[in-house]
Amino acid sequence: KIKRIKFSTTQMIVFGFLAAIIVGTGLLMLPISTKPGETTTWIDALFTATTSICVTGLTTVNTLSHWTTFGHVVILILIQFGGLGVVTFTTTILLIMRRRITLRERLLIQEAYNLNTLKGLVRLTIRIIKGTFVVEGIGAILYCIKFIPKYGIVAGTGKAIFNSVSAFCNAGMDILGENSLASYIKSPLVNFTTMGLIILGGLGFPVWWDILGTLKKSLKERFKINTFLRSLRLHTKIVLITTAILIGLGTVLIMVFEYNNTGTIGNLNFGQKIMASMFQSVTTRTAGFFTVPQEQLTNDSSFLSILFMFIGGSPSGTAGGVKTVTFVLLIIAAISIIRGKEDVELHRRRIADFYVKKALAVILVSGTVLIISTFLLSMVEGRNYLDIIYETTSALATVGLSRSVTPTLSTVGKMIIIITMYLGRIGPISMALAFQIKKFKGNAKHLPEENISVG
């Protein structure tokens, strides 16, 4: 009798993404995927499948001109799969097949969304799928207003759907042309629709349900904004406040750095400069669309973009990076030490040491991967160092922004970026799941303490 192999959630994510990449590569290698006159090498097919699954957006070939409609559909499915995640996508397939969700599969869902209860998990998954399609549908309708008059009903609708899914999943891939959304830099509809989709996808599904649940409860009683805000979970408060600060701060700084730069926003009016600066601030949080050429950014804006890319979005959403909550926890921990406090406290709540250690582990491992990939790519490509670290940070944080480096990469360079994208997509997630608190066991015997010098 063949023994059935049982995968943990971490293993399911690691091998699930890998299997999807392999299948996607095979489909993109088919002649039906490539337009006549174009040639798809194995490395370009592998790169495109990886960037789609990992919702990164870096591309070695032009998505519009290289791939056929079949190829675009394959890429779109891969993006949706990567955005929702292996566990959610697999659960959805089981529900469509009307298969009963077992206890083990419920445990997988629980771990994937870092929940502390098994109650209502299948219903939660259904809500995530419905919520995703509703938001993507609204985004597609808004895009249609702009795209249909330009491209026609069929082509315009197709581009609108593709762009909406890509934006919500923080993938940054499009079928509009070589310059992403640069031709729409002055369009409030396209800019704010894209930013809205990026932000909603990056907030994380648990934040959605907490806000909606708290709002529903507040409306049954006498609604007060202060009561509503106090009723939100600490996780939600951290995500919302950090997201608002990063978007606002990024908008102001980028506008200051780029105000007179004619290569980016220098020729725009004041209102358009604010909009373009906000778009750059939002898209660096792992989206990958751009309205200004990234290679034309000042060094100050480029450095800020690298920092924002590394931080990324929020947990249990479609965004990448080390995540906002991880970043905030380390800052709060440092402030607590400076103030001489024994505990890490935030909003009158004590944060368990375990979560601070987990945040530190995510930062250190991600930072190590970034350093190694940057060093290797610099050795292979020999490009400007700012361009190299911009590329590797974009790959690791699954962003998709590039300073015109990706199309010129050698085969070895492409492999480095492929591995970096893969590690960036499954690394922080897998690490967080591997360090689940229920698996953490304290030492039965505490060893003697000894003081060492730090700092």
Side-chain angles (χ1 to χ4, degrees):
K1 186 178 179 180
I2 299 175
K3 187 177 180 180
R4 187 179 178 183
I5 300 174
K6 293 185 178 180
F7 290 107
S8 65
T9 308
T10 306
Q11 292 169 329
M12 187 174 177
I13 288 173
V14 171
F15 294 116
F17 273 102
L18 187 60
I21 289 171
I22 293 171
V23 172
T25 302
L27 291 173
L28 292 176
M29 284 289 291
L30 296 173
I32 194 177
S33 296
T34 308
K35 285 187 176 179
E38 300 286 347
T39 303
T40 302
T41 61
W42 68 270
I43 190 67
D44 287 332
L46 177 61
F47 196 103
T48 303
T50 304
T51 197
S52 301
I53 280 291
C54 297
V55 289
T56 304
L58 295 173
T59 54
T60 54
V61 296
N62 185 277
T63 309
L64 172 63
S65 60
H66 187 88
W67 306 107
T68 61
T69 301
F70 178 82
H72 291 155
V73 172
V74 170
I75 292 170
L76 188 63
I77 293 173
L78 293 176
I79 290 172
Q80 190 73 84
F81 178 91
L84 289 174
V86 176
V87 176
T88 304
F89 202 89
T90 303
T91 306
T92 305
I93 298 300
L94 294 175
L95 290 171
I96 292 173
M97 295 172 62
R98 299 186 179 278
R99 265 194 54 188
R100 192 175 71 86
I101 307 299
T102 65
L103 176 61
R104 179 173 168 273
E105 286 154 353
R106 291 174 187 270
L107 289 170
L108 289 175
I109 301 170
Q110 180 191 21
E111 289 189 60
Y113 289 101
N114 200 19
L115 303 171
N116 54 14
T117 179
L118 286 174
K119 185 179 179 181
L121 292 180
V122 175
R123 187 167 65 252
L124 172 65
T125 302
I126 295 172
R127 290 174 70 192
I128 288 173
I129 299 300
K130 286 182 178 179
T132 296
F133 288 151
V134 166
V135 173
E136 290 176 348
I138 293 172
I141 291 170
L142 292 173
Y143 279 133
C144 280
I145 297 172
K146 198 74 177 179
F147 293 164
I148 288 179
K150 183 175 181 179
Y151 300 105
I153 295 178
V154 177
T157 303
K159 292 177 187 294
I161 293 172
F162 193 102
N163 228 67
S164 185
V165 173
S166 183
F168 179 77
C169 293
N170 280 219
M173 298 177 74
D174 64 81
I175 50 175
L176 299 174
E178 295 182 357
N179 298 315
S180 188
L181 301 179
S183 60
Y184 296 98
I185 190 171
K186 298 179 181 180
S187 170
L189 177 64
V190 173
N191 275 262
F192 285 103
T193 297
T194 306
M195 285 190 283
L197 289 167
I198 292 168
I199 293 169
L200 285 173
L203 287 177
F205 298 112
V207 173
W208 286 24
W209 310 137
D210 186 33
I211 293 174
L212 292 174
T214 305
L215 184 62
K216 185 177 180 181
K217 188 183 296 182
S218 299
L219 290 175
K220 288 181 179 179
E221 304 167 4
R222 189 175 179 181
F223 181 80
K224 292 182 180 179
I225 187 66
N226 291 335
T227 305
F228 169 74
L229 294 175
R230 281 198 301 268
S231 300
L232 294 173
R233 292 174 55 226
L234 179 59
H235 172 85
T236 303
K237 293 176 183 176
I238 294 174
V239 168
L240 294 178
I241 293 172
T242 307
T243 299
I245 291 174
L246 289 176
I247 292 174
L249 183 64
T251 301
V252 172
L253 291 177
I254 290 169
M255 187 167 177
V256 170
F257 298 151
E258 302 295 323
Y259 197 87
N260 295 315
N261 183 359
T262 55
T264 54
I265 68 172
N267 296 323
L268 303 175
N269 63 41
F270 188 74
Q272 291 167 349
K273 285 180 180 181
I274 294 176
M275 186 168 65
S277 299
M278 181 180 290
F279 191 94
Q280 178 68 19
S281 178
V282 171
T283 197
T284 53
R285 307 282 307 294
T286 85
F289 292 103
F290 65 87
T291 55
V292 297
Q294 300 301 292
E295 62 273 16
Q296 296 292 330
L297 292 172
T298 62
N299 288 344
D300 296 325
S301 293
S302 298
F303 179 78
L304 181 67
S305 296
I306 289 170
L307 176 61
F308 276 22
M309 286 192 289
F310 187 74
I311 295 172
S314 301
S316 300
T318 60
V322 296
K323 304 296 190 294
T324 52
V325 176
T326 304
F327 180 70
V328 169
L329 276 185
L330 288 189
I331 291 178
I332 299 301
I335 292 174
S336 297
I337 292 172
I338 293 170
R339 290 182 174 179
K341 291 186 176 182
E342 184 177 349
D343 296 324
V344 177
E345 300 173 356
L346 187 63
H347 286 288
R348 297 182 181 180
R349 293 290 187 273
R350 184 178 70 84
I351 308 297
D353 290 342
F354 171 79
Y355 294 106
V356 178
K357 293 176 182 176
K358 187 161 72 171
L360 179 61
V362 171
I363 293 284
L364 284 177
V365 172
S366 296
T368 301
V369 173
L370 178 61
I371 291 170
I372 294 173
S373 61
T374 301
F375 179 72
L376 292 175
L377 194 65
S378 180
M379 285 178 58
V380 173
E381 300 299 325
R383 293 282 297 260
N384 177 285
Y385 209 73
L386 179 61
D387 294 345
I388 292 294
I389 195 169
Y390 204 92
E391 187 83 3
T392 52
T393 306
S394 181
L396 179 68
T398 67
V399 181
L401 295 173
S402 176
R403 293 169 63 88
S404 299
V405 172
T406 315
T408 66
L409 290 173
S410 63
T411 300
V412 176
K414 289 175 183 178
M415 282 303 304
I416 292 171
I417 294 299
I418 286 171
I419 294 171
T420 304
M421 289 190 294
Y422 178 70
L423 292 176
R425 183 60 178 141
I426 62 103
I429 299 174
S430 298
M431 185 161 36
L433 295 177
F435 295 154
Q436 284 292 339
I437 194 166
K438 66 182 182 181
K439 295 180 181 178
F440 181 79
K441 296 180 180 179
N443 294 326
K445 295 180 180 179
H446 292 281
L447 298 175
E449 289 186 358
E450 183 168 342
N451 296 329
I452 60 174
S453 298
V454 177

